[in-house]
Amino acid sequence: MNAQAQTAPILSARGLRHSFGSTEALRGIDVDIHPGEVLAVMGPSGSGKSTLLHCLAGVITPDAGSVTYQPGPAVGQSVTISSLNEAGRSRLRLTEFGFVFQFGQLLPELSALDNVTIPLLLNGTRRKDALQRSAELLDRLGLQDNGTKRPSELSGGQAQRVAVARALATAPKILFADEPTGSLDSLAAENVLTQMLQLVREAGTTLVMITHDPRTAAYADREILVRDGAVAAGYQVAP
Amino acid sequence: MNVAILRLALAGSRSAVGRLAGIMAGVAIGVCLLLLLWGAADGLAQRDARGAWLRETGGPAYQPPVDGDPHAASVPIPLGPDTMLVARPAEHFRDSVINRVDVAALPDTSARIPGIPAPPKPGEYYASPALQELIQETPADQLADRFGSFAGTIGNEALPGRDSLIVVTGATESEIRSSNGGAGLVSEFTTNPYGDNALAYRTAFLAGGLAVLFPILLLISIVSNLGAAQRRERFATLRLIGATPGTVARISAAEAAVPCLAGALLGIALSALVRPLAAEIPVNGTRVFIDDLATDWTAAAVVAAAVVLSAMLAAGQRTLGAGTGPLGVTRAMPEPMPTPRRALPLLAGFLCLGALAFAAGVPELRSPWWEIPFMVGGFVLIMAGLVIIGPWLTLLVSRAGLRFARSAISVIASSRIAATPSATFRSVAGLVIAVFVVSIFAGGSSALRNVGVPAAVPGVLQPASVRTFIDPAASPDAVDALATQVNGTAGLHATVAYGSGGYGTDESGDQIYIEAAEAVWLGLTEAPDAGTAVLDAGFLNAWNREPVVASASPAILPELTPFAIIVHTDAAPESVDRARTLLVRSRVAAGPPMSPLDDAATGSTRLVAGLSALAYVGMFVAVSISAISLAVATASAMLDRKRILGLMRLMGMPASSLRRIVTREAAVPLLTVLLLAVGLGFLVAWMMVTSLGPAYKMDWPGADYFTALGLSLGIGAAALVSTFGLLRTSTGMSVTRFE
Ligand SMILES: Nc1ncnc2c1ncn2[C@@H]1O[C@H](COP(=O)(O)OP(=O)(O)OP(=O)(O)O)[C@@H](O)[C@H]1O
Ligand SMILES: [Mg+2]
């Protein structure tokens, strides 16, 4: 455990339960995520990893339990995500969180560059500034020559890097990634992963990353194992 | 075909209940309208054929003068055992025209009039049911007294429509011969409804039919492509497990056939239900008979087969064309980009109308043989041209929009439009056509308003006055008796005008004489105080707009011949019709009574005004189905993009932004082509109006146009808003899975 473990968690979940019909996807999960840490979430298919991530990020509201977001040390700043309304959660996701999924998350009609600008524009950034910041990000991810291409003209790895650029464009506090390299071959996966981690560490962004691949998990500061909707023994919240 | 593949295909169509229901409903509406359109085209022709006999004017009733000697007395051709003498005096009641046919025949004549068993005897009349009802509802001194005693109703087979006002009155031979110039000898009534205008009528209806047909076809094409994205995905799966492109295309065609066939059958049933409603629409002054709109089973079979087959072909073709490979949809085929060549049909249409406009000023060039094909061709080219140029203009505008975009909404909407200009334009093409047609209609009717009821101008014949010329054979006493009778009726005042000779004689001259005291009843402003006043006979012309001045004359009225009788009315409709009735009954008249008011109800004005009802119907149909098309296209585009739009919401884009994206995607192509459609609509209207004659001038469209335009856009907006619920639910966080 590094020093971050001692600071207050940026995101803290208690007693999360969630069912889809008769399927109990989460059966009481407690997690603390610390500012700036890279957390790998592992577990077998169907164990509830994606559901957990959605609850943490305020995409879905859990049936029971709470998720508290504490962006800074001041006590008044904490937000109970699970009790916000849809508009409030939307706002939070837009300004504080970033998302990367496995595939198909870019708007197909937009150029790579325009795709990256969308969250910035939604945040009220002027288009000129948004284009500039997006171009810088694409540069950093080695995509300087691909800005005008449409997603269908990019390779899988390139498209994932554009998605990473978009997720980081607004400088979010937490980046949620659900198998970001799941659809890539190992070389491309390695490539995307290292570049993403480099950007995340530089900016001090917290990263919550679901992965099946132990080699990917090895890049993380900490990992938890989800099994049957609960965090498996030995991976409990650090005291 | 492999069993596994077939089962997969079936499973796929079972899961898409919504899609199938949508296709079915859309096709049903389309087929219903197609059948009604077919019925209307058919019915209007039948209707006009039934009314053809009313156009019959007959052959000459007099032998031509021998040796061309103009002073030789003309010799009447006597009535024969198979002929009738027919006159068609203009008959007006309120502001409608009554088709009056006066006949005289030998008692045992074998000549027949359509719809009645035998020609009426003098003093009797046959009336259409609608007219007979009107006669019974109206006090006799306003209408019934004009016709005599009721002998029976005219059969439906001789009536254009349910509201046709037609009367056949019996008269003596001498009564008809004395009616001024209008009598003709008839042995058989014509069956040609349009005469020389047939081509013009047909083309007008053809053009109108096309304007409605296009949105219908567009609707069918849009609904049959519902859920294209999910289908592509499924077909990719089928390809992956070993189906050939041909198999997949056949599955796609077979899948389209079932809901289309069901929709077509539903549409046929629907058309039978809607028909009585459609028959309530007045066309050219009368509602049609319900049976006129009916179509036989052949029509239903042809329409259903054509729709189903073309939907199958289109579905198969689209599947082949989409190039669905085993790897499927990860790489969507880009839409071919529209090029400037799309402006060509519109330019060609312009050229056609330009040639017409040019020729309008050069009499030697004018001929219906090329003008009508150019008019229709120009109309069709411009209408098609609008739809063809639309995607290209949309592309240009969206590219410019993308360059200057400031918000995420405009970046997303502009990019989407720029990537799929044809698809986005297609969803509003129907509305564009509707606006085009509405604009033509508005331009045309603005010209009609200009020839409405004349205002009361001092010094000319007053609008609410009724006048008739006097038969030179009538006795002055009978004229005096008529004047006395008129003056004894409340609201009426008669003035007798005299001439040097009787009406229609060589001695009559250009002047008429009245008692000076009467000048005020005629609306004259400058007249002597007493004695006899003389004025230009042009005063009696209803279309005269130049004030006439009466001056003193030494002439003594009783020494002159009664020439005309002018009845001033208090302008109440009842009074005007009382005056008409008195003049018709008097038997001293040399022709039917006339009033400046009649102008508004006669001639091509009336024809075009009658067609205006059709234009409104066409507009309403076009706008409604276009609105459905817009809603379907929007919903379908939304479902195709469900995942990515859901993802946008996950990233924190509010639902309101999604609504604005969808709205913009419809508004940009619509507004891009709207101005063009309005402008071209008025241009075409101007062409049609000028070809009617120099009396017609275009004017600013009336409030009804802006209402219609606003209504069209409103209906479009409502269609769009109706999809918002779907947008919210289909992109909701709980239904989209993000992996
Ligand atoms: N929208 C949904 N509707 C119904 N059931 C769902 C839904 N989302 C998830 N589930 C169910 O919840 C359980 C957990 O799903 P979840 O997607 O969280 O698993 P996961 O660990 O992410 O699996 P994978 O590694 O395969 O992505 C599964 O049994 C799944 O079937
Ligand atoms: Mg998952």
Side-chain angles (χ1 to χ4, degrees):
Chain A
M1 286 299 134
N2 58 25
Q4 282 159 342
Q6 270 74 56
T7 62
I10 187 168
L11 203 60
S12 160
R14 287 294 175 270
L16 289 186
R17 293 184 163 276
H18 196 74
S19 308
F20 297 100
S22 58
T23 315
E24 271 191 276
L26 300 181
R27 319 168 177 233
I29 287 195
D30 299 337
V31 206
D32 281 337
I33 297 161
H34 301 280
E37 82 168 325
V38 174
L39 176 72
V41 179
M42 299 195 61
S45 182
S47 57
K49 304 183 295 293
S50 296
T51 310
L52 172 63
L53 184 128
H54 291 164
C55 286
L56 291 176
V59 175
I60 55 180
T61 310
D63 295 343
S66 67
V67 179
T68 312
Y69 172 59
Q70 169 102 31
V75 180
Q77 268 187 311
S78 96
V79 182
T80 308
I81 298 177
S82 40
S83 62
L84 286 177
N85 63 8
E86 172 58 34
R89 284 184 283 136
S90 282
R91 189 84 214 129
L92 194 71
R93 292 198 299 266
L94 179 61
T95 54
E96 309 288 302
F97 302 159
F99 296 89
V100 180
F101 296 98
Q102 194 170 341
F103 63 86
Q105 51 203 312
L106 300 178
L107 285 158
E109 302 91 6
L110 268 60
S111 67
L113 192 62
D114 277 333
N115 259 296
V116 179
T117 61
I118 292 300
L120 288 167
L121 294 178
L122 282 174
N123 252 343
T125 312
R126 285 174 46 210
R127 180 134 186 258
K128 200 163 149 266
D129 302 339
L131 283 170
Q132 200 183 338
R133 163 136 177 86
S134 306
E136 278 166 22
L137 269 169
L138 287 181
D139 267 3
R140 303 253 354 233
L141 287 157
L143 291 168
Q144 50 281 1
D145 302 329
N146 297 298
T148 57
K149 288 190 179 162
R150 299 252 178 92
S152 61
E153 298 161 335
L154 297 171
S155 75
Q158 288 169 337
Q160 280 313 89
R161 278 182 281 161
V162 174
V164 169
R166 181 176 69 185
L168 294 175
T170 50
K173 290 281 188 332
I174 308 178
L175 176 62
F176 293 97
D178 192 341
E179 298 181 41
T181 58
S183 63
L184 303 178
D185 65 70
S186 52
L187 192 65
E190 175 105 17
N191 215 326
V192 170
L193 206 63
T194 47
Q195 281 176 329
M196 179 169 78
L197 282 168
Q198 196 188 349
L199 287 173
V200 162
R201 297 226 189 258
E202 262 173 35
T205 311
T206 310
L207 172 62
V208 180
M209 174 170 63
I210 296 177
T211 180
H212 277 122
D213 180 6
R215 277 184 302 168
T216 305
Y219 286 96
D221 300 327
R222 187 161 72 98
E223 59 178 79
I224 59 173
L225 181 67
V226 179
R227 187 168 279 156
D228 289 334
V231 176
Y235 289 92
Q236 297 298 339
V237 179
Chain B
M1 198 184 290
N2 186 311
V3 178
I5 291 173
L6 192 67
R7 282 181 53 193
L8 238 163
L10 284 177
S13 47
R14 225 180 298 136
S15 69
V17 178
R19 187 179 80 83
L20 296 186
I23 295 180
M24 225 172 83
V27 170
I29 293 173
V31 164
C32 168
L33 288 172
L34 280 177
L35 281 176
L36 287 180
L37 195 64
W38 182 319
D42 215 36
L44 289 179
Q46 284 173 32
R47 187 187 92 117
D48 293 337
R50 279 197 309 271
W53 66 281
L54 291 163
R55 280 186 57 249
E56 183 62 65
T57 47
Y62 291 86
Q63 226 110 48
V66 226
D67 304 335
D69 173 6
H71 293 289
S74 43
V75 182
I77 302 174
L79 276 172
D82 62 347
T83 58
M84 289 175 279
L85 259 176
V86 172
R88 309 203 40 228
E91 192 73 70
H92 293 266
F93 176 76
R94 300 295 192 263
D95 49 6
S96 40
V97 176
I98 296 170
N99 255 302
R100 174 171 181 155
V101 182
D102 288 346
V103 293
L106 297 177
D108 53 353
T109 182
S110 65
R112 284 290 170 268
I113 300 169
I116 56 181
K121 294 191 248 323
E124 287 185 347
Y125 74 92
Y126 286 89
S128 62
L131 178 60
Q132 184 55 25
E133 202 174 305
L134 192 62
I135 287 173
Q136 279 163 352
E137 282 170 0
T138 313
D141 64 343
Q142 290 177 40
L143 187 58
D145 290 350
R146 303 184 200 182
F147 307 124
S149 63
F150 179 59
T153 47
I154 302 173
N156 284 351
E157 70 274 17
L159 302 179
R162 285 185 272 165
D163 304 320
S164 299
L165 300 179
I166 299 173
V167 62
V168 180
T169 50
T172 63
E173 184 177 352
S174 65
E175 275 169 352
I176 291 198
R177 286 199 194 273
S178 73
S179 72
N180 177 45
L185 268 177
V186 176
S187 55
E188 224 175 320
F189 284 87
T190 178
T191 53
N192 174 358
Y194 309 113
D196 297 338
N197 290 330
L199 202 56
Y201 270 86
R202 295 235 167 83
T203 49
F205 280 119
L206 183 76
L210 281 176
V212 179
L213 185 66
F214 176 79
I216 299 179
L217 296 182
L218 198 70
L219 171 71
I220 294 179
S221 118
I222 286 178
V223 293
S224 64
N225 198 24
L226 256 177
Q230 287 99 309
R231 271 152 52 91
R232 269 201 300 276
E233 226 157 310
R234 260 172 16 75
F235 292 143
T237 317
L238 293 178
R239 291 273 282 120
L240 195 61
I241 64 168
T244 64
T247 313
V248 170
R250 275 199 298 280
I251 293 178
S252 163
E255 273 185 13
V258 177
C260 283
L261 189 66
L265 294 179
L266 203 65
I268 291 170
L270 202 62
S271 72
L273 288 177
V274 173
R275 200 167 288 133
L277 276 179
E280 288 301 307
I281 299 162
V283 179
N284 212 352
T286 162
R287 294 169 301 166
V288 298
F289 293 111
I290 294 178
D291 284 349
D292 279 359
L293 287 183
T295 43
D296 55 10
W297 287 109
T298 344
V302 167
V303 167
V307 167
V308 172
L309 282 180
S310 48
M312 283 176 71
L313 268 180
Q317 204 56 45
R318 273 188 204 125
T319 310
L320 276 182
T324 311
L327 292 177
V329 286
T330 43
R331 312 226 151 191
M333 294 279 280
E335 195 182 281
M337 282 298 122
T339 60
R341 249 181 306 167
R342 285 178 169 260
L344 289 180
L346 198 60
L347 290 179
F350 263 126
L351 281 183
C352 281
L353 292 193
L356 281 172
F358 173 74
V362 188
E364 304 87 72
L365 286 179
R366 303 205 60 172
S367 150
W369 291 114
W370 73 271
E371 281 183 330
I372 288 171
F374 265 60
M375 174 86 82
V376 177
F379 175 82
V380 171
L381 277 172
I382 285 187
M383 194 164 78
L386 268 176
V387 178
I388 294 172
I389 201 175
W392 181 59
L393 291 179
T394 306
L395 177 68
L396 294 187
V397 169
S398 63
R399 279 192 181 152
L402 186 57
R403 191 161 310 131
F404 298 109
R406 287 154 163 265
S407 65
I409 293 158
S410 50
V411 170
I412 293 175
S414 301
S415 305
R416 162 82 174 176
I417 299 170
T420 56
S422 301
T424 23
F425 180 76
R426 195 177 319 134
S427 60
V428 296
L431 276 178
V432 168
I433 290 299
V435 165
F436 175 64
V437 175
V438 176
S439 303
I440 294 181
F441 166 58
S445 52
S446 78
L448 296 183
R449 272 204 321 268
N450 288 346
V451 282
V453 178
V457 178
V460 306
L461 190 62
Q462 293 307 286
S465 64
V466 183
R467 58 115 176 90
T468 184
F469 295 107
I470 289 167
D471 182 354
S475 77
D477 289 346
V479 176
D480 282 345
L482 174 61
T484 313
Q485 194 187 6
V486 169
N487 285 329
T489 309
L492 305 185
H493 176 90
T495 303
V496 180
Y498 295 80
S500 323
Y503 170 71
T505 61
D506 294 339
E507 299 82 33
S508 59
D510 295 339
Q511 308 278 303
I512 52 171
Y513 302 84
I514 57 168
E515 256 176 59
E518 295 287 329
V520 57
W521 289 106
L522 303 189
L524 289 165
T525 40
E526 289 184 45
D529 294 334
T532 301
V534 61
L535 57 149
D536 194 294
F539 176 79
L540 294 175
N541 290 332
W543 54 89
N544 178 39
R545 297 284 183 277
E546 292 301 313
V548 170
V549 176
S551 44
S553 161
I556 297 158
L557 293 181
E559 291 173 359
L560 299 169
T561 318
F563 184 82
I565 182 163
I566 302 127
V567 180
H568 172 272
T569 75
D570 58 10
E574 294 82 7
S575 302
V576 174
D577 280 315
R578 272 188 204 106
R580 285 169 175 153
T581 307
L582 283 170
L583 294 183
V584 170
R585 283 182 67 185
S586 69
R587 303 279 177 205
V588 304
M594 286 172 279
S595 162
L597 292 177
D598 300 348
D599 257 10
T602 41
S604 32
T605 316
R606 199 174 125 80
L607 169 73
V608 184
L611 291 181
S612 75
L614 261 192
Y616 266 129
V617 172
M619 176 206 109
F620 179 72
V621 170
V623 168
S624 313
I625 47 187
S626 305
I628 299 176
S629 298
L630 175 60
V632 170
T634 309
S636 142
M638 243 180 234
L639 291 177
D640 287 355
R641 291 190 288 166
K642 195 160 111 168
R643 190 187 135 79
I644 194 77
L645 292 180
L647 213 89
M648 290 292 113
R649 277 186 74 179
L650 180 135
M651 275 170 39
M653 179 182 278
S656 64
S657 299
L658 289 189
R659 288 200 289 274
R660 279 155 66 196
I661 291 174
V662 168
T663 307
R664 203 174 280 231
E665 286 174 4
V668 168
L670 183 62
L671 296 180
T672 301
V673 192
L674 194 72
L675 273 184
L676 195 64
V678 168
L680 291 178
F682 278 99
L683 184 72
V684 172
W686 178 76
M687 290 307 314
M688 293 180 167
V689 164
T690 23
S691 77
L692 276 179
Y696 297 91
K697 291 272 179 313
M698 285 261 294
D699 198 357
W700 280 102
D704 48 348
Y705 171 67
F706 294 103
T707 313
L709 203 61
L711 211 64
S712 306
L713 294 181
I715 293 177
L720 208 57
V721 169
S722 74
T723 63
F724 285 170
L726 179 67
L727 182 62
R728 173 169 277 279
T729 53
S730 70
T731 60
M733 294 295 96
S734 52
V735 293
T736 321
R737 300 205 44 189
F738 307 99
E739 301 286 349

